[in-house]
Every structure is written in C-alpha cells, then in structure tokens.
C-alpha cells in the first residue's frame, strides 16, 4: 500500500513541476493550452506555405509524438493535442513539420 501511495505522489509531483518546453521554430510562435496538454502553433514565415505542429507528448511512464492539424503560414494555426487513458499527460516539447517542400 505504501508503494502505491508513493507512486501516486511521484506522479502528482511530476505533473506539478512539469512545464512545457519553450521550443521556438523560426518565424513561428506557440501557445500551450489545457494546462500544457496541447499546443497551438502560428507561423508567419517558413520554408513552405503549409506546416504541422508535432507535439512531443509525455506521461510519467511513456512518451510519443502527436501530429497536429495542418496549418497555413499567415493563416490557420496547427493544433496538436496529447491524450492519454491513464495518468497525467503534458506537451514536453514540439517541432514544426513543413509540408510540400
């Protein structure tokens, strides 16, 4: 029982101290939403007209990438959302994937 309580306490502490990394793609800026569970990326300049935000998602036990919606330079932003069935989840970092290069 003590181990279970300790594991839950560690998971809560990891969530409390985890904050999204401040990755910055040239010509783009981001906004973290949903307590750091998702990222919305706006680009005003880039290597092509279309892009996609790729969120690096994390839980205390796993990590994966979530490919966001397709955004347009000087237009629609790209939105990537990290979802998990169990436990806390957050965006650890992100990068921009340029489409149609």
């Amino acid at each position: 029982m003590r181990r279970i309580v300790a594991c839950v306490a560690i998971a809560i502490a990891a969530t409390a101290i985890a904050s999204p990394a401040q990755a910055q793609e040239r010509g783009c800026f981001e906004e973290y939403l949903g307590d750091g569970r998702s990222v919305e990326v706006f680009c005003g300049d880039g290597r092509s007209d279309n892009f996609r935000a790729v969120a690096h998602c994390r839980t205390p036990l796993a990590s994966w990438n979530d490919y966001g919606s397709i955004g347009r330079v000087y237009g629609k932003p790209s939105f990537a959302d990290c979802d998990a069935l169990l436990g806390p989840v957050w965006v650890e970092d992100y990068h921009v994937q340029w489409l149609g290069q």
Side-chain angles (χ1 to χ4, degrees):
M1 183 66 167
R2 287 182 188 178
R3 288 183 184 178
I4 293 172
V5 172
C7 288
V8 170
I10 290 171
I12 291 170
T15 302
I17 62 172
S19 62
Q22 297 300 317
Q24 186 70 31
E25 178 76 22
R26 185 175 170 182
C28 301
F29 64 95
E30 74 282 337
E31 183 176 349
Y32 290 94
L33 307 168
D35 295 329
R37 295 175 63 102
S38 57
V39 63
E40 190 171 36
V41 179
F42 304 86
C43 290
D45 189 21
R47 296 178 280 208
S48 69
D49 290 339
N50 297 314
F51 66 95
R52 178 190 325 254
V54 181
H56 304 268
C57 304
R58 186 112 172 109
T59 68
L61 300 175
S63 62
W64 67 95
N65 289 336
D66 181 78
Y67 293 84
S69 59
I70 295 176
R72 186 153 178 84
V73 172
Y74 290 117
K76 187 174 117 178
S78 177
F79 180 79
D81 186 33
C82 296
D83 286 320
L85 295 175
L86 297 172
V89 62
W90 63 91
V91 176
E92 186 173 63
D93 198 359
Y94 82 94
H95 71 271
V96 172
Q97 178 185 37
W98 295 99
L99 307 172
Q101 295 184 39

